[in-house]
Amino acid sequence: MTERTLIKNISIVNEGQIILADILIDNGVIQKIGLLADITNSKIIDGTGKYLFPGIIDGQVHFREPGLTHKADLYTESKAAIAGGVTSFIDMPNTFPNVLTIDILNEKYQIASEKSLANYGFFLGVNGDNLDYVINLDTSKLLGVSDDGLYFTKKGNLLADNPDTMEKLFANCKSIIAIHSEKEQIVEENENIYREKYGDDVPVEFHPIIRSEKACYEATKRAIDLANKHKARLHILHLTTEAETHLFRNDIPLEEKNITTEVSVHHLWFSDTDYKRLGTLIKWNPAIKTEKDKKGLLKALLDDRIDLVTTDHAPHTLEEKQKPYFQAMSGAPIVQHSLNIMLEFYKQGLISLEKIAQKMCHNPATLYRIEKRGFIREGYFADLAIVDLNSSWTVSKENILSKCGWSPLDGTTFQTKVTHTFVNGNLVYDNGRFNETKKGVALTKKNN
Ligand SMILES: O=C1C[C@@H](C(=O)O)NC(=O)N1
């Protein structure tokens, strides 16, 4: 049983509008939305002047467990997520061992049930070795939303650059094929050119030239051609170039799209002008690119060619990051600050609150067919975030919650603050304090 809570007089951002109302949370779900009388035995939160969002659903994170828990784990990173208003996440399979079988996948669900404060789903990885296994998978054995998410990337054990592997997967797979889209051959050719010139210590400013627009565009175009040819369901992860945005459509509703895409917050926030200041701390794959790309990505997000905002939260220790170019790990922690970043764009007049809710809450739920989450509706799970749009604070070591203890946003002042986060009706985060007694649950799937 969860505590009964009445949030009074709050601006509810949901499904294209903002309405001022009260909301009653009971038994884990949203019971009533409207002008409600005070109810006995309920905790009352005064929402005057504040905004209520559906809890953010982050469609791409790396919480590193099992196998890489010196960087992060399901407890620490879900806690960081909750502080940022993120109530559900879908985690990538490049943990160790790589998630290439149902047994390994189910082990992650088990660990999350014991440790995660937020709700969770996990991608299953695909490579040349487990391709037949994946194609013949009995999806009834998959837990949660996993049978809607297969992840195909291009490095190491999850390498997917082989044209025959790609063709076979697209021809046979019914699940969403999520792709990290960079053509490895082009990247390697560029790496060799710069290695010859600079040795190991290539200036990081060349990262977007090595992991080039061409590498991204050609991989994305190839995946789209394959998806069209085989009528497969394709999702391109973390788009980074303006050029690629023109490959996506906005003339069909999300529910009917066969090909979808997302942008990660750091590709909207940073550009190549930031490499000088932040160096390898913002070395990410795909790379942070130019100002023109950054603007093109926001434009495509606003006109619905891009469907989701995710984080690709990818923590590494500072030691792993502060190394010469070729040894410095790619990725950085950002899940705690994704809503703050998007709200900063709102403050600058670049995006509406309704659009933020669409891209971070409604669309991930629709795309991954997540049951009864992502919207503020009576009868839906009470995953909610209350936001103060006029409260500034500065990111610093003292308030960074990711286990790795640093952030590329250190020193950044945000003008908005998440004050409360509810997960399944439980007030898990309240103005800096956590209630860790209740754990998140596995995301379940809508039937149709
Ligand atoms: O897609 C990815 C993976 C991630 C990681 O570190 O796992 N780091 C990245 O920069 N991009």
Side-chain angles (χ1 to χ4, degrees):
M1 283 289 280
T2 59
E3 194 175 49
R4 187 151 64 174
T5 307
L6 180 63
I7 309 172
K8 297 279 292 177
N9 196 35
I10 194 152
S11 296
I12 301 176
V13 185
N14 189 49
E15 299 183 70
Q17 51 181 344
I18 301 178
I19 57 160
L20 188 66
D22 311 322
I23 179 162
L24 178 66
I25 300 166
D26 195 9
N27 220 3
V29 299
I30 298 165
Q31 293 287 353
K32 262 197 175 327
I33 305 167
L35 296 178
L36 310 174
D38 284 2
I39 291 164
T40 48
N41 295 333
S42 64
K43 179 184 172 73
I44 301 206
I45 295 177
D46 180 12
T48 306
K50 298 219 177 118
Y51 288 76
L52 186 73
F53 281 79
I56 308 301
I57 301 173
D58 192 335
Q60 192 194 164
V61 303
H62 300 263
F63 282 0
R64 307 295 192 205
E65 188 163 3
L68 296 165
T69 52
H70 69 287
K71 300 177 198 273
D73 63 55
L74 283 159
Y75 165 68
T76 54
E77 307 313 288
S78 66
K79 193 167 171 177
I82 295 283
V86 177
T87 53
S88 299
F89 61 86
I90 310 184
D91 182 77
M92 285 290 153
N94 58 341
T95 39
F96 285 96
N98 287 166
V99 185
L100 295 171
T101 67
I102 297 303
D103 286 348
I104 299 171
L105 183 78
N106 287 348
E107 192 194 324
K108 280 179 83 161
Y109 274 104
Q110 180 57 37
I111 302 169
S113 73
E114 291 159 17
K115 295 178 71 171
S116 179
L117 299 181
N119 304 316
Y120 43 85
F122 295 98
F123 282 88
L124 181 68
V126 194
N127 65 14
D129 297 336
N130 76 340
L131 185 61
D132 286 327
Y133 172 83
V134 164
I135 287 168
N136 297 311
L137 207 61
D138 174 1
T139 52
S140 65
K141 291 215 180 90
L142 284 166
L143 293 176
V145 288
S146 295
D147 57 329
D148 260 350
L150 295 162
Y151 174 72
F152 212 27
T153 183
K154 297 190 178 303
K155 266 281 182 202
N157 269 348
L158 294 162
L159 188 75
D161 234 5
N162 179 323
D164 296 337
T165 311
M166 298 277 281
E167 187 87 36
K168 193 168 167 186
L169 179 72
F170 276 82
N172 293 288
C173 183
K174 298 280 166 287
S175 303
I176 298 175
I177 304 168
I179 288 206
H180 176 132
S181 189
E182 289 181 287
K183 225 176 192 176
E184 201 58 31
Q185 191 198 334
I186 298 177
V187 172
E188 275 166 18
E189 282 165 14
N190 291 337
E191 281 179 347
N192 289 338
I193 294 169
Y194 283 86
R195 191 179 277 113
E196 218 161 86
K197 214 164 160 195
Y198 292 99
D200 254 8
D201 213 357
V202 175
V204 70
E205 282 83 350
F206 291 115
H207 192 49
I209 297 164
I210 292 171
R211 293 201 161 258
S212 63
E213 174 187 279
K214 187 167 179 239
C216 296
Y217 186 88
E218 287 197 9
T220 298
K221 177 82 172 67
R222 178 180 60 181
I224 289 175
D225 289 346
L226 278 172
N228 283 331
K229 178 174 167 193
H230 295 293
K231 302 205 175 346
R233 177 68 187 88
L234 169 69
H235 181 70
I236 300 285
L237 298 156
H238 45 36
L239 216 64
T240 56
T241 68
E242 195 260 347
E244 289 167 283
T245 63
H246 299 291
L247 296 170
F248 295 88
R249 295 177 57 174
N250 60 1
D251 58 343
I252 30 178
L254 177 58
E255 292 83 343
E256 290 165 30
K257 283 187 180 180
N258 275 336
I259 297 168
T260 51
T261 190
E262 65 184 40
V263 62
S264 291
V265 277
H266 46 283
H267 294 118
L268 293 170
W269 184 254
F270 297 113
S271 76
D272 57 1
T273 59
D274 294 303
Y275 284 114
K276 214 175 188 55
R277 185 171 58 93
L278 293 163
T280 51
L281 293 186
I282 57 163
K283 183 186 181 213
W284 245 292
N285 299 341
I288 286 159
K289 298 202 171 59
T290 64
E291 279 290 320
K292 178 171 166 272
D293 291 308
K294 186 171 119 173
K295 290 203 175 85
L297 291 166
L298 182 63
K299 184 164 189 284
L301 182 71
L302 294 174
D303 73 19
D304 294 337
R305 280 172 292 151
I306 295 180
D307 305 288
L308 310 184
V309 172
T310 61
T311 64
D312 188 19
H313 174 81
H316 298 283
T317 64
L318 255 190
E319 206 189 335
E320 291 166 334
K321 290 293 289 178
Q322 290 176 324
K323 292 200 167 177
Y325 176 77
F326 282 112
Q327 282 101 53
M329 298 272 189
S330 294
I334 201 154
V335 74
Q336 190 181 341
H337 307 112
S338 60
L339 181 56
N340 292 119
I341 286 179
M342 295 310 294
L343 291 172
E344 216 54 36
F345 292 138
Y346 162 74
K347 286 280 195 179
Q348 293 164 18
L350 297 174
I351 190 168
S352 68
L353 297 177
E354 296 92 320
K355 201 75 178 173
I356 294 173
Q358 182 200 355
K359 301 297 176 175
M360 301 185 90
C361 315
H362 311 328
N363 283 3
T366 302
L367 197 151
Y368 289 108
R369 294 194 286 147
I370 296 167
E371 190 181 25
K372 292 191 176 169
R373 301 186 195 274
F375 299 85
I376 301 179
R377 292 177 181 163
E378 290 178 3
Y380 272 50
F381 296 108
D383 290 350
L384 300 162
I386 300 180
V387 173
D388 186 338
L389 293 181
N390 294 300
S391 177
S392 63
W393 63 289
T394 301
V395 178
S396 72
K397 300 265 175 305
E398 289 67 49
N399 53 42
I400 292 167
L401 293 165
S402 278
K403 193 178 202 173
C404 63
W406 68 277
S407 162
L409 298 162
D410 200 342
T412 305
T413 296
F414 288 119
Q415 302 171 71
T416 68
K417 193 183 257 172
V418 174
T419 59
H420 302 75
T421 307
F422 291 86
V423 180
N424 301 311
N426 301 304
L427 183 56
V428 179
Y429 180 76
D430 180 354
N431 288 292
R433 289 179 301 278
F434 290 87
N435 172 359
E436 299 183 10
T437 54
K438 301 285 190 331
K439 300 292 179 270
V441 298
L443 297 171
T444 51
K445 237 180 63 178
K446 271 199 289 205
N447 284 329
N448 52 29

